[in-house]
Amino acid sequence: MYRKIIVAIALGGIEKGEQILRKAASLLDEGGEIVALNVVEDVPTYVAIELPANMVEDAMKDSRERLGALVAATGITAAVEIRNGPPAKAIITAAESHNADLIIVASHVPDFSNYFIGATADRVVRHAKCSVLVDRQKL
């Protein structure tokens, strides 16, 4: 069905990551590729002044280790990629740079604070140039 799938996994919801990776594997063409992606957000400058200089680098290293462990635990073959910046933009940029034909992104069940879907998922759906599968998460 799909030859290149970007699976965006938030480490705050890593327990959902295995389910999303399995869904990606079930949609993948033979010989296709899955990229497990986590985005570490930038720290605003006014906050960064008070934090250790290597905080973002440490967070990216930790993300790579945790995401790598998740992928290994599932037994699914997937590349692990860590990016930093605004999550929606980083996910879309990753999809474009990998020439992906599907993005899978999780979103919690909406409430009145964001009626339709989560803010990141909403931006990805609106701006991605490929198909997007939004996997609902219960709070």
Side-chain angles (χ1 to χ4, degrees):
M1 295 172 84
Y2 298 97
R3 57 183 165 65
K4 180 79 75 134
I5 302 174
I6 302 293
V7 182
I9 299 173
L11 294 178
I14 201 162
E15 65 283 346
K16 184 76 170 174
E18 181 177 349
Q19 179 181 341
I20 295 170
L21 281 169
R22 293 197 188 287
K23 187 171 289 190
S26 72
L27 296 171
L28 191 65
D29 282 339
E30 188 174 327
E33 183 182 356
I34 295 172
V35 177
L37 173 69
N38 177 258
V39 180
V40 175
E41 290 189 65
D42 287 327
V43 178
T45 306
Y46 64 89
V47 174
I49 293 171
E50 302 296 324
L51 299 172
N54 57 344
M55 189 181 117
V56 172
E57 291 82 12
D58 289 347
M60 291 180 73
K61 180 181 175 194
D62 180 58
S63 294
R64 181 172 306 286
E65 290 170 3
R66 291 177 61 196
L67 193 54
L70 173 70
V71 169
T74 65
I76 294 169
T77 302
V80 172
E81 185 170 320
I82 308 299
R83 292 186 178 226
N84 75 307
K89 184 176 182 179
I91 293 166
I92 292 166
T93 301
E96 290 172 357
S97 68
H98 286 284
N99 202 21
D101 50 357
L102 178 66
I103 299 169
I104 299 178
V105 62
S107 178
H108 58 77
V109 175
D111 58 15
F112 288 110
S113 67
N114 49 0
Y115 183 73
F116 296 105
I117 55 180
T120 297
D122 179 51
R123 288 184 189 102
V124 171
V125 167
R126 290 179 190 273
H127 300 287
K129 295 177 181 166
C130 63
S131 296
V132 179
L133 186 152
V134 178
D135 190 75
R136 292 285 188 194
Q137 295 185 18
K138 293 184 181 179
L139 293 175

Tab-separated table of all heavy atoms in Angstrom, residues 66-120:
chain	number	residue	atom	x	y	z
A	66	ARG	N	15.550	6.128	23.572
A	66	ARG	CA	14.211	5.626	23.925
A	66	ARG	C	13.444	5.150	22.701
A	66	ARG	O	12.790	4.105	22.728
A	66	ARG	CB	13.428	6.703	24.663
A	66	ARG	CG	14.008	6.983	26.050
A	66	ARG	CD	13.302	8.087	26.775
A	66	ARG	NE	11.901	7.747	26.985
A	66	ARG	CZ	10.978	8.640	27.309
A	66	ARG	NH1	11.294	9.913	27.453
A	66	ARG	NH2	9.737	8.274	27.495
A	67	LEU	N	13.537	5.901	21.615
A	67	LEU	CA	12.840	5.504	20.397
A	67	LEU	C	13.486	4.262	19.793
A	67	LEU	O	12.789	3.354	19.322
A	67	LEU	CB	12.829	6.661	19.391
A	67	LEU	CG	11.891	6.535	18.207
A	67	LEU	CD1	10.455	6.263	18.654
A	67	LEU	CD2	11.937	7.799	17.364
A	68	GLY	N	14.808	4.184	19.841
A	68	GLY	CA	15.509	2.990	19.361
A	68	GLY	C	15.111	1.761	20.153
A	68	GLY	O	14.910	0.678	19.592
A	69	ALA	N	14.974	1.899	21.470
A	69	ALA	CA	14.560	0.778	22.320
A	69	ALA	C	13.132	0.345	21.982
A	69	ALA	O	12.839	-0.857	21.946
A	69	ALA	CB	14.664	1.163	23.790
A	70	LEU	N	12.261	1.308	21.718
A	70	LEU	CA	10.880	0.978	21.348
A	70	LEU	C	10.845	0.199	20.038
A	70	LEU	O	10.179	-0.833	19.933
A	70	LEU	CB	10.030	2.245	21.224
A	70	LEU	CG	8.616	2.018	20.670
A	70	LEU	CD1	7.761	1.272	21.680
A	70	LEU	CD2	7.972	3.337	20.290
A	71	VAL	N	11.562	0.687	19.044
A	71	VAL	CA	11.595	0.013	17.741
A	71	VAL	C	12.160	-1.396	17.908
A	71	VAL	O	11.605	-2.367	17.373
A	71	VAL	CB	12.409	0.830	16.718
A	71	VAL	CG1	12.684	0.035	15.460
A	71	VAL	CG2	11.669	2.128	16.375
A	72	ALA	N	13.239	-1.542	18.661
A	72	ALA	CA	13.841	-2.858	18.877
A	72	ALA	C	12.858	-3.798	19.577
A	72	ALA	O	12.777	-4.981	19.238
A	72	ALA	CB	15.125	-2.722	19.688
A	73	ALA	N	12.102	-3.267	20.540
A	73	ALA	CA	11.154	-4.097	21.289
A	73	ALA	C	10.015	-4.616	20.411
A	73	ALA	O	9.481	-5.690	20.668
A	73	ALA	CB	10.584	-3.303	22.459
A	74	THR	N	9.668	-3.867	19.383
A	74	THR	CA	8.566	-4.302	18.509
A	74	THR	C	9.018	-5.353	17.513
A	74	THR	O	8.197	-6.091	16.983
A	74	THR	CB	7.978	-3.124	17.707
A	74	THR	OG1	8.974	-2.619	16.816
A	74	THR	CG2	7.448	-2.032	18.610
A	75	GLY	N	10.319	-5.386	17.220
A	75	GLY	CA	10.814	-6.310	16.206
A	75	GLY	C	10.543	-5.830	14.789
A	75	GLY	O	10.796	-6.535	13.822
A	76	ILE	N	10.047	-4.623	14.654
A	76	ILE	CA	9.756	-4.036	13.340
A	76	ILE	C	11.007	-3.310	12.854
A	76	ILE	O	11.652	-2.586	13.613
A	76	ILE	CB	8.558	-3.072	13.434
A	76	ILE	CG1	7.291	-3.862	13.783
A	76	ILE	CG2	8.379	-2.280	12.149
A	76	ILE	CD1	6.107	-3.002	14.149
A	77	THR	N	11.341	-3.504	11.598
A	77	THR	CA	12.487	-2.816	11.027
A	77	THR	C	12.083	-1.382	10.703
A	77	THR	O	11.171	-1.156	9.895
A	77	THR	CB	12.971	-3.531	9.748
A	77	THR	OG1	13.299	-4.874	10.081
A	77	THR	CG2	14.171	-2.826	9.164
A	78	ALA	N	12.740	-0.440	11.352
A	78	ALA	CA	12.442	0.973	11.120
A	78	ALA	C	13.690	1.794	11.400
A	78	ALA	O	14.439	1.498	12.328
A	78	ALA	CB	11.297	1.439	12.011
A	79	ALA	N	13.882	2.819	10.589
A	79	ALA	CA	14.943	3.783	10.856
A	79	ALA	C	14.466	4.700	11.974
A	79	ALA	O	13.277	4.994	12.074
A	79	ALA	CB	15.231	4.596	9.605
A	80	VAL	N	15.380	5.124	12.820
A	80	VAL	CA	15.054	6.049	13.910
A	80	VAL	C	15.612	7.408	13.550
A	80	VAL	O	16.783	7.537	13.196
A	80	VAL	CB	15.643	5.556	15.248
A	80	VAL	CG1	15.475	6.601	16.336
A	80	VAL	CG2	15.007	4.238	15.655
A	81	GLU	N	14.762	8.417	13.636
A	81	GLU	CA	15.199	9.775	13.300
A	81	GLU	C	14.701	10.733	14.360
A	81	GLU	O	13.539	10.675	14.757
A	81	GLU	CB	14.659	10.175	11.926
A	81	GLU	CG	15.163	11.511	11.468
A	81	GLU	CD	14.822	11.799	10.017
A	81	GLU	OE1	14.916	10.875	9.182
A	81	GLU	OE2	14.480	12.951	9.718
A	82	ILE	N	15.589	11.608	14.803
A	82	ILE	CA	15.245	12.631	15.781
A	82	ILE	C	15.494	13.986	15.129
A	82	ILE	O	16.557	14.217	14.556
A	82	ILE	CB	16.101	12.513	17.068
A	82	ILE	CG1	16.065	11.096	17.624
A	82	ILE	CG2	15.655	13.538	18.104
A	82	ILE	CD1	14.716	10.583	18.034
A	83	ARG	N	14.500	14.843	15.219
A	83	ARG	CA	14.644	16.218	14.705
A	83	ARG	C	14.282	17.170	15.820
A	83	ARG	O	13.654	16.776	16.792
A	83	ARG	CB	13.731	16.447	13.498
A	83	ARG	CG	14.167	15.645	12.278
A	83	ARG	CD	13.341	16.001	11.070
A	83	ARG	NE	13.818	15.245	9.918
A	83	ARG	CZ	14.021	15.784	8.736
A	83	ARG	NH1	13.780	17.055	8.526
A	83	ARG	NH2	14.459	15.041	7.738
A	84	ASN	N	14.645	18.443	15.639
A	84	ASN	CA	14.194	19.426	16.609
A	84	ASN	C	13.560	20.599	15.896
A	84	ASN	O	13.814	20.841	14.728
A	84	ASN	CB	15.331	19.859	17.546
A	84	ASN	CG	16.321	20.772	16.905
A	84	ASN	OD1	16.857	20.463	15.845
A	84	ASN	ND2	16.573	21.901	17.526
A	85	GLY	N	12.697	21.279	16.649
A	85	GLY	CA	11.960	22.403	16.100
A	85	GLY	C	10.484	22.256	16.395
A	85	GLY	O	10.082	21.406	17.192
A	86	PRO	N	9.670	23.055	15.751
A	86	PRO	CA	8.222	22.923	15.920
A	86	PRO	C	7.775	21.549	15.390
A	86	PRO	O	8.129	21.182	14.265
A	86	PRO	CB	7.642	24.057	15.076
A	86	PRO	CG	8.780	25.000	14.851
A	86	PRO	CD	10.027	24.178	14.888
A	87	PRO	N	7.021	20.762	16.177
A	87	PRO	CA	6.707	19.389	15.789
A	87	PRO	C	6.048	19.236	14.414
A	87	PRO	O	6.514	18.428	13.603
A	87	PRO	CB	5.786	18.907	16.906
A	87	PRO	CG	6.194	19.710	18.086
A	87	PRO	CD	6.562	21.055	17.534
A	88	ALA	N	5.004	19.978	14.137
A	88	ALA	CA	4.305	19.809	12.860
A	88	ALA	C	5.230	20.106	11.684
A	88	ALA	O	5.281	19.348	10.707
A	88	ALA	CB	3.059	20.695	12.806
A	89	LYS	N	5.964	21.183	11.785
A	89	LYS	CA	6.879	21.554	10.701
A	89	LYS	C	7.959	20.490	10.512
A	89	LYS	O	8.295	20.120	9.387
A	89	LYS	CB	7.512	22.907	10.995
A	89	LYS	CG	8.401	23.416	9.889
A	89	LYS	CD	8.929	24.805	10.178
A	89	LYS	CE	9.780	25.277	9.022
A	89	LYS	NZ	10.302	26.617	9.235
A	90	ALA	N	8.503	19.980	11.620
A	90	ALA	CA	9.549	18.954	11.528
A	90	ALA	C	9.010	17.660	10.919
A	90	ALA	O	9.699	17.002	10.138
A	90	ALA	CB	10.145	18.694	12.904
A	91	ILE	N	7.795	17.289	11.271
A	91	ILE	CA	7.185	16.077	10.717
A	91	ILE	C	6.976	16.229	9.212
A	91	ILE	O	7.320	15.342	8.425
A	91	ILE	CB	5.848	15.760	11.425
A	91	ILE	CG1	6.106	15.366	12.887
A	91	ILE	CG2	5.086	14.658	10.691
A	91	ILE	CD1	4.858	15.354	13.754
A	92	ILE	N	6.460	17.356	8.798
A	92	ILE	CA	6.215	17.603	7.372
A	92	ILE	C	7.536	17.663	6.603
A	92	ILE	O	7.657	17.098	5.514
A	92	ILE	CB	5.385	18.895	7.185
A	92	ILE	CG1	3.966	18.668	7.727
A	92	ILE	CG2	5.357	19.322	5.727
A	92	ILE	CD1	3.167	19.939	7.905
A	93	THR	N	8.527	18.322	7.172
A	93	THR	CA	9.839	18.404	6.532
A	93	THR	C	10.457	17.022	6.390
A	93	THR	O	11.046	16.693	5.348
A	93	THR	CB	10.772	19.341	7.324
A	93	THR	OG1	10.168	20.640	7.387
A	93	THR	CG2	12.133	19.451	6.678
A	94	ALA	N	10.342	16.191	7.423
A	94	ALA	CA	10.862	14.823	7.349
A	94	ALA	C	10.160	14.046	6.243
A	94	ALA	O	10.805	13.332	5.462
A	94	ALA	CB	10.687	14.110	8.687
A	95	ALA	N	8.853	14.176	6.160
A	95	ALA	CA	8.098	13.471	5.112
A	95	ALA	C	8.549	13.909	3.730
A	95	ALA	O	8.719	13.081	2.828
A	95	ALA	CB	6.598	13.700	5.294
A	96	GLU	N	8.753	15.199	3.555
A	96	GLU	CA	9.193	15.703	2.254
A	96	GLU	C	10.613	15.244	1.935
A	96	GLU	O	10.900	14.843	0.809
A	96	GLU	CB	9.086	17.230	2.224
A	96	GLU	CG	7.634	17.702	2.204
A	96	GLU	CD	7.477	19.207	2.362
A	96	GLU	OE1	8.495	19.924	2.542
A	96	GLU	OE2	6.324	19.669	2.315
A	97	SER	N	11.516	15.294	2.917
A	97	SER	CA	12.899	14.914	2.645
A	97	SER	C	13.046	13.418	2.382
A	97	SER	O	13.945	13.005	1.652
A	97	SER	CB	13.825	15.362	3.782
A	97	SER	OG	13.554	14.638	4.958
A	98	HIS	N	12.163	12.616	2.949
A	98	HIS	CA	12.193	11.173	2.711
A	98	HIS	C	11.304	10.760	1.540
A	98	HIS	O	11.214	9.580	1.223
A	98	HIS	CB	11.745	10.409	3.960
A	98	HIS	CG	12.760	10.389	5.046
A	98	HIS	ND1	13.878	9.582	5.005
A	98	HIS	CD2	12.842	11.080	6.218
A	98	HIS	CE1	14.576	9.763	6.106
A	98	HIS	NE2	13.991	10.679	6.850
A	99	ASN	N	10.617	11.731	0.965
A	99	ASN	CA	9.672	11.447	-0.118
A	99	ASN	C	8.639	10.405	0.337
A	99	ASN	O	8.321	9.456	-0.383
A	99	ASN	CB	10.408	10.985	-1.380
A	99	ASN	CG	9.575	11.186	-2.620
A	99	ASN	OD1	8.645	11.986	-2.632
A	99	ASN	ND2	9.909	10.453	-3.665
A	100	ALA	N	8.123	10.601	1.550
A	100	ALA	CA	7.159	9.674	2.138
A	100	ALA	C	5.811	9.775	1.439
A	100	ALA	O	5.438	10.832	0.931
A	100	ALA	CB	6.991	9.976	3.621
A	101	ASP	N	5.095	8.665	1.417
A	101	ASP	CA	3.744	8.698	0.868
A	101	ASP	C	2.679	8.534	1.946
A	101	ASP	O	1.493	8.548	1.656
A	101	ASP	CB	3.564	7.681	-0.263
A	101	ASP	CG	4.031	6.286	0.069
A	101	ASP	OD1	4.562	6.067	1.159
A	101	ASP	OD2	3.865	5.407	-0.787
A	102	LEU	N	3.093	8.410	3.215
A	102	LEU	CA	2.155	8.371	4.336
A	102	LEU	C	2.846	8.859	5.597
A	102	LEU	O	3.998	8.520	5.855
A	102	LEU	CB	1.626	6.951	4.571
A	102	LEU	CG	0.676	6.763	5.759
A	102	LEU	CD1	-0.638	7.525	5.537
A	102	LEU	CD2	0.396	5.293	6.014
A	103	ILE	N	2.115	9.653	6.370
A	103	ILE	CA	2.527	10.048	7.712
A	103	ILE	C	1.489	9.472	8.661
A	103	ILE	O	0.286	9.611	8.424
A	103	ILE	CB	2.546	11.582	7.890
A	103	ILE	CG1	3.538	12.240	6.931
A	103	ILE	CG2	2.850	11.960	9.334
A	103	ILE	CD1	3.408	13.761	6.863
A	104	ILE	N	1.953	8.820	9.723
A	104	ILE	CA	1.037	8.400	10.780
A	104	ILE	C	1.363	9.242	11.995
A	104	ILE	O	2.506	9.298	12.446
A	104	ILE	CB	1.174	6.901	11.114
A	104	ILE	CG1	0.853	6.050	9.882
A	104	ILE	CG2	0.244	6.536	12.276
A	104	ILE	CD1	0.999	4.555	10.105
A	105	VAL	N	0.353	9.913	12.525
A	105	VAL	CA	0.523	10.779	13.684
A	105	VAL	C	-0.610	10.481	14.661
A	105	VAL	O	-1.737	10.231	14.248
A	105	VAL	CB	0.556	12.272	13.271
A	105	VAL	CG1	-0.730	12.720	12.629
A	105	VAL	CG2	0.912	13.166	14.437
A	106	ALA	N	-0.288	10.467	15.931
A	106	ALA	CA	-1.297	10.215	16.956
A	106	ALA	C	-1.956	11.518	17.370
A	106	ALA	O	-1.365	12.586	17.296
A	106	ALA	CB	-0.654	9.544	18.165
A	107	SER	N	-3.188	11.399	17.793
A	107	SER	CA	-3.917	12.544	18.313
A	107	SER	C	-4.861	12.036	19.382
A	107	SER	O	-5.471	10.985	19.230
A	107	SER	CB	-4.714	13.232	17.200
A	107	SER	OG	-5.456	14.304	17.726
A	108	HIS	N	-4.953	12.789	20.466
A	108	HIS	CA	-5.891	12.379	21.510
A	108	HIS	C	-7.321	12.627	21.045
A	108	HIS	O	-7.560	13.372	20.092
A	108	HIS	CB	-5.603	13.111	22.821
A	108	HIS	CG	-5.674	14.603	22.692
A	108	HIS	ND1	-6.851	15.298	22.630
A	108	HIS	CD2	-4.698	15.525	22.576
A	108	HIS	CE1	-6.612	16.582	22.507
A	108	HIS	NE2	-5.299	16.748	22.458
A	109	VAL	N	-8.267	12.002	21.712
A	109	VAL	CA	-9.677	12.241	21.403
A	109	VAL	C	-9.952	13.694	21.752
A	109	VAL	O	-9.629	14.155	22.844
A	109	VAL	CB	-10.583	11.293	22.210
A	109	VAL	CG1	-12.046	11.621	21.978
A	109	VAL	CG2	-10.297	9.852	21.814
A	110	PRO	N	-10.526	14.456	20.816
A	110	PRO	CA	-10.653	15.899	21.022
A	110	PRO	C	-11.632	16.270	22.123
A	110	PRO	O	-12.572	15.548	22.407
A	110	PRO	CB	-11.146	16.402	19.659
A	110	PRO	CG	-11.819	15.234	19.052
A	110	PRO	CD	-11.073	14.023	19.541
A	111	ASP	N	-11.366	17.421	22.732
A	111	ASP	CA	-12.310	18.016	23.657
A	111	ASP	C	-12.558	19.439	23.166
A	111	ASP	O	-12.216	19.775	22.035
A	111	ASP	CB	-11.779	17.964	25.095
A	111	ASP	CG	-10.429	18.672	25.249
A	111	ASP	OD1	-10.043	19.430	24.337
A	111	ASP	OD2	-9.777	18.458	26.274
A	112	PHE	N	-13.132	20.261	23.983
A	112	PHE	CA	-13.461	21.607	23.508
A	112	PHE	C	-12.242	22.499	23.306
A	112	PHE	O	-12.315	23.487	22.604
A	112	PHE	CB	-14.460	22.282	24.456
A	112	PHE	CG	-15.828	21.690	24.337
A	112	PHE	CD1	-16.353	20.933	25.364
A	112	PHE	CD2	-16.562	21.857	23.184
A	112	PHE	CE1	-17.603	20.359	25.248
A	112	PHE	CE2	-17.814	21.281	23.046
A	112	PHE	CZ	-18.341	20.537	24.090
A	113	SER	N	-11.097	22.147	23.917
A	113	SER	CA	-9.920	22.992	23.746
A	113	SER	C	-9.355	22.912	22.333
A	113	SER	O	-8.747	23.840	21.847
A	113	SER	CB	-8.845	22.643	24.774
A	113	SER	OG	-8.348	21.352	24.521
A	114	ASN	N	-9.534	21.789	21.676
A	114	ASN	CA	-9.192	21.668	20.256
A	114	ASN	C	-10.162	20.651	19.672
A	114	ASN	O	-9.914	19.464	19.662
A	114	ASN	CB	-7.728	21.301	20.023
A	114	ASN	CG	-7.274	20.131	20.856
A	114	ASN	OD1	-8.020	19.561	21.630
A	114	ASN	ND2	-6.040	19.773	20.686
A	115	TYR	N	-11.262	21.176	19.200
A	115	TYR	CA	-12.439	20.392	18.871
A	115	TYR	C	-12.206	19.281	17.860
A	115	TYR	O	-12.704	18.194	18.007
A	115	TYR	CB	-13.556	21.317	18.378
A	115	TYR	CG	-14.821	20.565	18.100
A	115	TYR	CD1	-15.590	20.084	19.138
A	115	TYR	CD2	-15.209	20.300	16.797
A	115	TYR	CE1	-16.744	19.364	18.890
A	115	TYR	CE2	-16.362	19.584	16.537
A	115	TYR	CZ	-17.121	19.125	17.586
A	115	TYR	OH	-18.246	18.415	17.345
A	116	PHE	N	-11.463	19.509	16.824
A	116	PHE	CA	-11.356	18.514	15.768
A	116	PHE	C	-10.277	17.478	16.052
A	116	PHE	O	-10.548	16.314	16.252
A	116	PHE	CB	-11.136	19.178	14.405
A	116	PHE	CG	-12.306	20.021	14.015
A	116	PHE	CD1	-12.238	21.388	14.076
A	116	PHE	CD2	-13.496	19.424	13.621
A	116	PHE	CE1	-13.323	22.164	13.736
A	116	PHE	CE2	-14.595	20.190	13.287
A	116	PHE	CZ	-14.510	21.563	13.348
A	117	ILE	N	-9.025	17.868	16.049
A	117	ILE	CA	-7.926	16.960	16.364
A	117	ILE	C	-6.837	17.758	17.059
A	117	ILE	O	-6.919	18.973	17.150
A	117	ILE	CB	-7.359	16.251	15.097
A	117	ILE	CG1	-6.930	17.267	14.041
A	117	ILE	CG2	-8.345	15.272	14.525
A	117	ILE	CD1	-6.378	16.636	12.781
A	118	GLY	N	-5.832	17.097	17.585
A	118	GLY	CA	-4.760	17.783	18.289
A	118	GLY	C	-4.082	18.826	17.418
A	118	GLY	O	-4.088	18.737	16.188
A	119	ALA	N	-3.480	19.801	18.052
A	119	ALA	CA	-2.882	20.920	17.325
A	119	ALA	C	-1.805	20.468	16.347
A	119	ALA	O	-1.775	20.920	15.200
A	119	ALA	CB	-2.312	21.929	18.322
A	120	THR	N	-0.909	19.575	16.779
A	120	THR	CA	0.140	19.104	15.870
A	120	THR	C	-0.467	18.298	14.741
A	120	THR	O	-0.158	18.518	13.567
A	120	THR	CB	1.188	18.261	16.635
A	120	THR	OG1	1.814	19.109	17.610
A	120	THR	CG2	2.238	17.715	15.688
